[in-house]
Amino acid sequence: SPADIREMVSELNGAVRLSSTFRFKPSAAELDAQARGDIPRLVAYLRNNDFSGRELLIAGFSDAAGGATQNAALSRRRAQQVLEEIQTALGNEAGNYSFVVKGFGEVSPQGCNDSLSGRSVNRRVEVWVREST
């Protein structure tokens, strides 16, 4: 809906997207094998850069299979799963960072939802950095 798009744009306005993209299995909040390997790389990046005064927005997205309400909830669970993996990998250092979790559902697809491969790229979590609010 237009309201969902406005919310996403508002949240991401002025933010910078990091290169990490985490993918998921269909209808699940379980990271795929490649995503599990990307967590340590993201954590190393966090440790080697200064994020003072900034927050990390963990943004979840879904494919369009299923209802919009279900997809929004699933995308948020996926983002929460990535956050938990990051916090676990950071250990005691996790408190040094400010995290925000958002689920945007099927807004902003990267692929066509009419194909299996398109839906698979839409099931993702992105990490964005923005000034703390």
Side-chain angles (χ1 to χ4, degrees):
S1 74
D4 294 333
I5 294 169
R6 279 192 301 276
E7 178 190 0
M8 184 191 73
V9 169
S10 174
E11 291 289 339
L12 300 179
N13 187 33
V16 175
R17 186 179 180 280
L18 299 182
S19 62
S20 300
T21 301
F22 300 93
R23 306 273 181 212
F24 293 82
K25 297 178 180 180
S27 302
E30 184 180 344
L31 289 166
D32 69 13
Q34 181 177 343
R36 289 205 177 280
D38 289 340
I39 293 287
R41 282 187 282 282
L42 174 60
V43 167
Y45 177 78
L46 296 178
R47 286 181 171 144
N48 291 317
N49 290 277
D50 181 14
F51 289 93
S52 302
R54 297 184 285 172
E55 57 190 14
L56 296 148
L57 173 62
I58 314 298
F61 299 89
S62 71
D63 59 31
T69 302
Q70 294 168 326
N71 288 338
L74 179 57
S75 68
R76 188 171 196 306
R77 282 196 311 274
R78 288 174 173 158
Q80 185 64 40
Q81 176 65 33
V82 169
L83 173 60
E84 290 170 9
E85 295 283 341
I86 292 168
Q87 289 175 321
T88 297
L90 284 169
N92 293 336
E93 297 173 69
N96 298 337
Y97 301 90
S98 175
F99 295 101
V100 175
V101 170
K102 294 288 181 177
F104 297 114
E106 54 199 65
V107 173
S108 190
Q110 290 185 335
C112 179
N113 278 299
D114 292 338
S115 70
L116 184 61
S117 63
R119 287 188 301 276
S120 71
V121 298
N122 293 335
R123 295 186 298 267
R124 69 192 188 282
V125 168
E126 300 171 349
V127 180
W128 294 71
V129 180
R130 65 183 184 187
E131 297 301 313
S132 293
T133 53

